[in-house]
């Protein structure tokens, strides 16, 4: 290897810019030598950054099948969380948290809208079906304001159902509340992206060398890989790299090509009536072109893109709505043909309760996959999961009762930030969810953000 590479090095060619993964060549030569012998690249160069991921599920859960009955490390994994058994030591369940500001507080019905609006803000949304929406800045955007300048994308907002900004969706509440969890300001939601291709293009066409429109149009029309456009620059770079970095680049290019093939397959498939039935309350016309009709594929590829964004250090803050609050999606692949929201209002009907449990079980499998993907990426002397603090949950506990205490919350990863994993943690009943966010902000900003967030009454460190 010769020379030192900037962390912001990109491959260029024919109007295209391609971001690079972390390479040993990006270390100063003295550190690279020490790191190779110690096999501790990240810690010798300064610990890898800690990221934050916030994943939201709608409509609450069935608490008896979701909440553990014991605390500590020897708790029994409840039925709805069984898909997480293989990664049990990589997450902790936190019970007792609440979002008081998702309650009515005199505003009447509309718990679903308040749930999504409050999830990351801890604020009570102004009840309106008009444009005068107001709820508060979300915790991911507080983080983005503090550390977002260190990456090309301050934050990345992902989802699997269309972002909404107008109209009324829940008992007089604007659709913007139900369809967004990230809020740049109290009045401005960060509209999530649900099209995999658009996320892919954002990750690989950044900075001064961003791909120009003509080059992008030509590449997509000819169905050529983005790698073909930077092949000459890639070969020149490869000649400068050591064997370990060459292997990293080969692995990276294989991953990019695999993603492109998946995207091309999605874009070639037209949503048909059979596939549309899997979408529940969403019609094919609601889905932008290039959005997978199969929800499993959609969550999977968006998760891959989230992991890739962290791996390339394009951002260190993401939010991911697995579905909009109040979603009435059906799940025929687990023999649930009715809509999710409809089933959540089961009123004790055991057949409906059983189907909610199937949905919760399925959701746990999605989380397990995300955890495994993050844990498969080696970074420094650990993995990407070790350097990612992931929050998974909802601001509704029991979808039938619409209560906003005893929330279903899982914290995964983050061991490099001192997160205690592999246990069921019971906090004092009614502890604000924002206490957890306040603790996160302190850890992830290394003390830059010290004030309490939202309606926090203290700082929760797990």
């Amino acid at each position: 290897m010769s020379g030192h590479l900037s962390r912001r090095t990109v491959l260029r060619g024919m109007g295209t810019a391609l971001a690079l993964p972390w390479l040993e060549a990006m270390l100063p030569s003295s550190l690279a030598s020490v790191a190779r012998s110690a096999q501790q690249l990240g810690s010798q160069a300064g610990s890898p950054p800690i990221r934050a991921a916030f994943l939201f599920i709608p409509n609450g859960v069935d608490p008896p099948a979701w909440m553990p009955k014991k605390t500590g490390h020897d708790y029994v994994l409840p039925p709805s969380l069984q898909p997480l058994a293989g990664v049990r030591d990589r997450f902790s369940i936190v019970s007792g948290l609440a979002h008081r500001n998702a309650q009515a507080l005199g505003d009447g019905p509309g718990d679903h809208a308040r749930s999504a609006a409050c999830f990351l803000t801890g604020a009570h949304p102004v009840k309106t079906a008009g444009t005068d929406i107001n709820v508060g800045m979300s915790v991911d955007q507080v983080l983005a304001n503090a550390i977002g300048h260190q990456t090309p994308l301050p934050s990345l907002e992902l989802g699997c159902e269309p972002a909404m900004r107008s109209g009324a969706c829940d008992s007089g509440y604007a659709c913007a509340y139900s369809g967004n969890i990230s809020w740049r300001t109290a009045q401005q939601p960060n509209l999530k992206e649900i099209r995999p291709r658009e996320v892919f293009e954002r990750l690989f066409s950044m900075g001064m060398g961003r791909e120009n429109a003509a080059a992008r149009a030509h590449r997509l029309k000819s169905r050529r890989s983005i790698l073909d456009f930077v092949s000459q620059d890639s070969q020149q770079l490869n000649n400068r790299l050591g064997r370990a970095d060459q292997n990293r680049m080969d692995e990276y290019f294989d991953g990019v090509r695999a993603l492109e093939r998946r995207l091309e397959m999605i874009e070639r498939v037209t949503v048909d009536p059979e596939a549309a039935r899997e979408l529940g309350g969403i019609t094919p016309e609601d889905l932008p072109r290039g959005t997978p009709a199969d929800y499993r594929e959609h969550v999977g590829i968006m998760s891959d893109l989230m992991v890739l964004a962290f791996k390339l250090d394009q951002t260190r803050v993401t939010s991911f709505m697995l579905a909009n609050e109040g979603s009435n999606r059906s799940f025929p692949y687990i023999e649930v043909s009715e809509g999710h929201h409809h089933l959540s209002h089961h009123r004790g009907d055991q057949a409906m309760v059983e189907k909610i449990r199937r949905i919760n079980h399925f959701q746990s499998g999605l989380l397990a996959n995300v955890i495994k993907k993050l844990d498969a990426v080696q970074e420094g002397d650990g993995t990407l999961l070790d350097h990612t603090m992931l929050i998974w949950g909802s601001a509704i506990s029991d979808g039938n009762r619409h209560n906003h205490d005893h929330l279903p919350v899982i914290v995964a990863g983050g061991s490099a930030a001192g997160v205690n994993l592999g246990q069921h943690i019971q906090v004092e009943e009614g502890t604000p969810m924002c206490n957890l966010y306040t603790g996160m902000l302190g850890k992830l900003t290394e003390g830059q953000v010290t004030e309490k967030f939202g309606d926090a009454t203290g700082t929760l460190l797990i």
Side-chain angles (χ1 to χ4, degrees), residues 403-418:
N403 62 309
H404 306 284
D405 54 358
H406 298 289
L407 298 177
V409 176
I410 288 176
V411 179
S415 60

Side-chain angles (χ1 to χ4, degrees), residues 87-155:
V87 292
R88 180 182 170 127
D89 62 339
R90 309 298 276 146
F91 70 89
S92 285
I93 302 165
V94 185
S95 295
L97 296 175
H99 260 319
R100 178 181 178 275
N101 278 323
Q103 297 175 12
L105 303 183
D107 281 346
D111 289 279
H112 288 287
R114 290 192 295 264
S115 168
C118 186
F119 182 61
L120 293 185
T121 67
H124 186 78
V126 171
K127 189 164 190 176
T128 177
T131 59
D132 54 333
I133 53 176
N134 193 309
V135 59
M137 181 183 289
S138 53
V139 64
D140 63 311
Q141 292 308 294
V142 175
L143 272 174
N145 287 344
I147 65 175
H149 65 281
Q150 300 172 7
T151 55
L153 294 172
S155 63

